[in-house]
Amino acid sequence: MAISERLAADYGIRFDAGEWTGALGDSVTVLPIVVGLAALTPVSLAHALLFFGAFQIVWGLVYGLPLSVEPMKALAGLALAGTVTAGEYVAAGLLAGGVLLLAAATGAIGRLRRHVSEPVIRGIQLAVALVLVRSGVDLGLANPTLALAAAGVAVAVAMAGYRRGAALAVLGVGLVFAVADAGVPAAEFPALALFPAGAPAVTTNALSATTGQLAMTVGNAAVATSLLLSDLFDADVSADRLSASMGAMCLSAVPLGGVPMCHGSGGLAGKHAFGARTGGANLVLGGLYLAAVPFAGVVAAFPMAVLGALLLVVAVHLGRRAVDADGRRALALVALVGCVGLLWNVGAAFLVGLVADAARRRISTT
């Protein structure tokens, strides 16, 4: 569904103080995840920032709203944990993008959402959070003292009332250590080439990861974001239109070195909470991302122990959202899906969740 003329006239583009502070609301999950990917996988931080910056600007202009642009968290979490290889990560991003475009063209998102309940989606989030916890602990063991100090910074920031800023605080600690160790890197611009981090590898594992990601994307990035745009901005943007945007991002960015990206309700809520009301926040944040591209090489010196603490903070953020389910039976289903995802894989967890949820609904109606 196209954005109405009334919406465009109401929102437009502004650059007041709220748009500048609101730009920060989308960076609190983007930066920790992409820095982690760059440190632990062949993903290039410069390429990732380049496409995040470009699409922040594109969607700010197209929608006239502070729409979020975030990493696909299930895929990113599995890549951070080493559960999928770099090639499988690329393949899963392309597959997800293709499915989202097809779903948008056929209007399938609304129909699909009716068959995937909230507890199943939350369970996938919990599975990714648990995988990140395991990886974060492993990384932290390289230097437990430094990892505990970084975690202490996160706890202090959260207790001071800035819970959303905890991950950025840990990221700041790591960057300070990186600059102290290696200095400020010389400015260097990324070269655009086809699949600079490696060719896609379509495997069973990649298909499983894609399945888990699509479960999250349908619920959190398409349907929930559409509803939130209506609630916060009185904007009529369909889930299928958002699906088309996400598919376009993945299919255009991933082959050139970007990471799989989506629109997230959390980033949108964060921008709104920090004061953003128009697409001006996207243009501000996009410009900041692009300005950081030449200096992305600093990530090479990022301490692994601090990165472990960073993964734990991101895991807590995902895990808190995962357990936001009503009723003991719903929480039991979340826990089941999460444990299957941790011990097996997220694709199997999704299928187990669908079967268990169908059984749960049948029992509740008898």
Side-chain angles (χ1 to χ4, degrees), residues 5-24:
E5 292 181 2
R6 178 187 64 80
L7 185 150
D10 284 350
Y11 292 95
I13 299 292
R14 297 201 303 266
F15 293 100
D16 56 26
E19 303 302 316
W20 282 82
T21 58
L24 299 175

Side-chain angles (χ1 to χ4, degrees), residues 3-152:
I3 300 178
S4 67
E5 292 181 2
R6 178 187 64 80
L7 185 150
D10 284 350
Y11 292 95
I13 299 292
R14 297 201 303 266
F15 293 100
D16 56 26
E19 303 302 316
W20 282 82
T21 58
L24 299 175
D26 207 11
S27 64
V28 293
T29 54
V30 171
L31 289 176
I33 290 175
V34 296
V35 168
L37 286 169
L40 293 174
T41 77
V43 166
S44 161
L45 180 60
H47 286 84
L49 290 176
L50 175 64
F51 285 103
F52 273 109
F55 280 112
Q56 283 281 354
I57 293 170
V58 166
W59 302 132
L61 293 173
V62 168
Y63 287 96
L65 291 162
L67 201 63
S68 65
V69 180
E70 306 175 4
M72 287 187 165
K73 293 186 180 66
L75 294 183
L78 296 174
L80 286 168
T83 304
V84 296
T85 66
E88 290 169 338
Y89 181 52
V90 170
L94 293 173
L95 290 169
V99 171
L100 289 170
L101 271 185
L102 180 62
T106 58
I109 292 296
R111 296 193 297 272
L112 179 61
R113 179 63 181 91
R114 291 194 291 270
H115 299 286
V116 184
S117 71
E118 189 74 12
V120 175
I121 296 170
R122 298 299 188 192
I124 295 296
Q125 291 175 320
L126 179 61
V128 175
L130 292 173
V131 170
L132 285 175
V133 167
R134 182 173 60 193
S135 300
V137 170
D138 289 342
L139 289 173
L141 291 176
N143 188 334
T145 301
L146 182 56
L148 288 173

Side-chain angles (χ1 to χ4, degrees), residues 295-310:
F295 307 102
V298 70
V299 74
F302 203 93
M304 289 297 105
V306 176
L307 187 60
L310 186 62

